[in-house]
Amino acid sequence: MQDMPAESCAELTAAVCAAIDIDPATAEDIIRSTEPFWDAMERAGGLVDAWGGGEFCYVLPRVLSFIRQTANP
């Protein structure tokens, strides 16, 4: 997250908070923990946009929401 523009970081944090109903500190912790996964997917041949790209900011909250819904039906 340190390499993301402040506006993108705030937008992503808010989106994750809203998607899975958590506080901002927890959202930031989850976002930071996904960076290596996102980087690996990018190295695998461009499966995703670069870390901090618009795709990450849009897709991550949806992925987390799906995980929450699937894990807690």
Side-chain angles (χ1 to χ4, degrees):
M1 288 180 66
Q2 68 190 33
D3 295 334
M4 292 177 72
E7 185 177 296
S8 294
C9 186
E11 178 183 337
L12 178 57
T13 300
V16 169
C17 287
I20 57 176
D21 193 28
I22 56 175
D23 63 89
T26 303
E28 287 185 19
D29 188 37
I30 290 171
I31 294 164
R32 289 179 202 288
S33 73
T34 63
E35 182 178 1
F37 174 65
W38 206 262
D39 288 342
M41 289 186 9
E42 185 178 14
R43 287 190 304 272
L47 296 173
V48 296
D49 195 359
W51 168 253
E55 183 180 309
F56 182 79
C57 293
Y58 174 73
V59 174
L60 181 64
R62 293 181 67 198
V63 168
L64 294 173
S65 180
F66 173 79
I67 291 169
R68 181 173 209 154
Q69 290 171 9
T70 304
N72 301 300

